[in-house]
Amino acid sequence: MMNFLPNAIFLAVLVSGVLFFAKNVGKLKRNIALGRDLEITGSKKERWNNLLMIALGQSKMVRRPVSGILHVVVYLGFIIINIEVLEIVIDGIFGSHRIFSFLGGLYGFLIGSFEIFAVLVLLAVIVFWWRRNVRRIARFLNPEMKGWPKQDANYILYFEVVLMTLFLVMNATDSSFQAMESGNTVSQFIAPWFAGFSESTIHLVERSAWWLHIVGILVFLNYLYYSKHLHILLAFPNVYFGSVTPKGQLDNMEAVTNEVKLMLDPTANPYAVPSGDTQSAPDKFGASDVQDLNWLQLLNAYSCTECGRCTSECPANQTGKLLSPRKIMMDTRDRLQEVGANIDANNGTFQDDGKQLLGDYISKEELWACTSCNACVEACPISINPLSIIMDMRRYLVMEQSAAPVELKNMMSNIENNGAPWPYNQMDRMNWANND
Amino acid sequence: MADFQAQGKQPEVLFWVGCAGSFDDRAKKITKAFVKLLNRANLEFAVLGTEESCTGDPAKRSGNEFLFQMQAMTNIETMNSYGVKKVVTACPHCFNTIKNEYPSLGGSYDVMHHTQFLKSLLEDGRLKVESGQFKGKRITFHDPCYLGRANNVYEAPRLLLEKLEAELVEMKRSRKNGLCCGAGGAQMFKEAEKGNKEINIERTEEAIGTKANIIAAGCPFCNTMLTDGVKHKEQEAKVHVMDIAEMIAQAADL
């Protein structure tokens, strides 16, 4: 009976870890679904290609070679070490030891490459930490990176150091694995550190490292939901659903099209009862809160890793304006989490909390500083579009609140009155052709 | 355009002049230069004249979707009534809007930026670009956001500059990484928010840093922003901001 105790404990830990994560994934899906509908159109082939090149192939990451290549190392390490995790899970459930070792030479090759990757990941993570905390690269120091976002980034790095170290120690203290003399590429150099200990102590260290490693992985998995690190999962759908139209193309609001057509159609009867299939106008034009954004914009917010490439490319931010595209994404996520927590606390329905994304998180000053140049969209390694959120919030300001800066109001009334953003007479449009 | 219709003819292309090209004194010169090139190529083109109205780009980018769609639908109705198939414009904002945002409102045309159009005239042998006075001059090209990043047109303007046998020097932030001039998103029509620098100054400094004699532009708004920047840096004696169409026309003594 006692023999099965470790298996039972393992199963309990594994199941509760996975269930708790699944519960949060459920919340994540619900929160994303709070957004407006968005039809995904455009070439599927191009979407798969983006997924392959941008997400799996990291093509936009490596545009900045230092952080890009280091990221590829950590990314590959993460992916291939999952094979090792699979073995740990099987061993844990069935009480086996290194069940894949029957693969012989292949096993040695796999574990050997995991060990090399573990070392490379450790090095990469140390460089990442140094860039953030010692070298203090500017894009990690913007105002929105104070407090939790800064800690979050460091916690992730510490997690990875601990997990990689445990993996190497686990291998180094596994005497039967060391005896195989295959696959211990790195750990054979760590094993001698433990040479002075008794066999039972070494075994205890091995078991502890093994347990801490898998428990650490489960804790890390559950940390994702509370962290910017969700990108390791969400980057893939986010890239797939990312825009495949030219970056300059903004959506044409359908509700507006219907109304404008009605206005321009001399035969339209404004009092006619709309027929059933006509889309009724939304209760709000543009966005003042997260529920007014579409689900892709909300997925964007959860996918953001706060790397700040967008902000460092933003012309407004570079010239000292308040606008930071990264902050737009972080604010959207923070507000969405707040709305989600509100729904949880109120038995599934949102109770007005007197707050909204506009004003309480994102200020008008930020929104009006944008030049719509698409530098942020181009910079994002995983196809996040901060510009679309800025535009939807400007739409709310203008169409719901008439709250455009006065110069822009003048520009708009010029267009209305004389068809040009300046107060010139429409009849003078051909003057360029007359005088020399 | 109405004249062509009266004669029962269809021009090869509609030249969409745009508000800047029609009213702004600096941009009018670009319009004239481009027209001279079209005439040199013996091209039958038309303009809408007083029937042209703002595409709605600045309204849309400031959030006024109603005004944008009113403008768009009016323009589309005008163009469709003349049976317009092909549109060329010297303004990347008009280019982007008509090309990308008009189709779903009922206006589908073959839309080209004037640098793309000039390149095609060149390739068809209808227009020759002479090196002339720009031979050996140091020129840097400023990518307009709405031509470059927004629509991935990077090579057409550069190819034309190469034909002028100018020495093309790139700014550090160019092509996909090009820095905005500060005018887009309706910023042209308002003061910038509080900051520590104007965007056009930042960009002009970068352009001047290449030691170029000429900053080549492909957008009337970039042209204004960079011209202001050059004046601000008191470099107008040494550095000129010119549209590519103006350069080609000047090289050919037009």
Side-chain angles (χ1 to χ4, degrees), chain A residues 81-92 99-100 214:
Chain A
I81 284 174
N82 275 323
I83 305 175
E84 167 70 17
V85 176
L86 181 67
E87 184 184 45
I88 292 182
V89 168
I90 296 174
D91 283 349
I99 188 143
F100 292 159
I214 187 65

Side-chain angles (χ1 to χ4, degrees), chain A residues 78 102 303 397:
Chain A
F78 164 74
F102 72 88
S303 306
L397 284 173

Side-chain angles (χ1 to χ4, degrees), chain B residues 235-250:
Chain B
Q235 296 285 316
E236 56 271 54
K238 279 189 244 158
V239 185
H240 297 279
V241 182
M242 292 184 83
D243 191 272
I244 292 180
E246 291 180 300
M247 296 171 69
I248 297 173
Q250 233 181 63

Side-chain angles (χ1 to χ4, degrees), chain A residues 290-306:
Chain A
V290 286
Q291 296 97 322
D292 309 324
L293 296 170
N294 65 49
W295 61 263
L296 182 57
Q297 291 167 320
L298 301 183
L299 174 64
N300 277 186
Y302 274 126
S303 306
C304 175
T305 325
E306 303 165 14

Side-chain angles (χ1 to χ4, degrees), chain A residues 247-248 250-253 257 318-319 321 368 370-373 394 398 407 412 419 426 429 432 435, chain B residues 32 50 52 54 60-62 65 69 96 101 104 146 149-150 173 184-185 187 190-191 193 196-197:
Chain A
K247 289 191 182 61
L250 286 184
D251 62 313
N252 291 329
M253 294 171 72
T257 310
Q318 287 179 52
T319 53
K321 276 81 174 178
W368 290 118
C370 174
T371 69
S372 74
C373 76
R394 280 189 180 183
V398 170
E407 306 113 297
M412 290 185 242
Q426 177 70 358
R429 225 174 231 281
W432 60 267
N435 47 15
Chain B
K32 285 184 193 172
T50 54
E52 185 185 296
C54 173
K60 189 177 182 83
R61 264 90 200 154
S62 16
E65 182 74 7
Q69 292 202 12
N96 176 68
E101 289 161 2
S104 78
Y146 276 81
R149 266 191 301 273
R173 291 173 282 195
Q187 296 293 341
K190 64 185 264 297
E191 289 300 315
E193 271 57 35
N196 51 34
K197 201 177 199 176

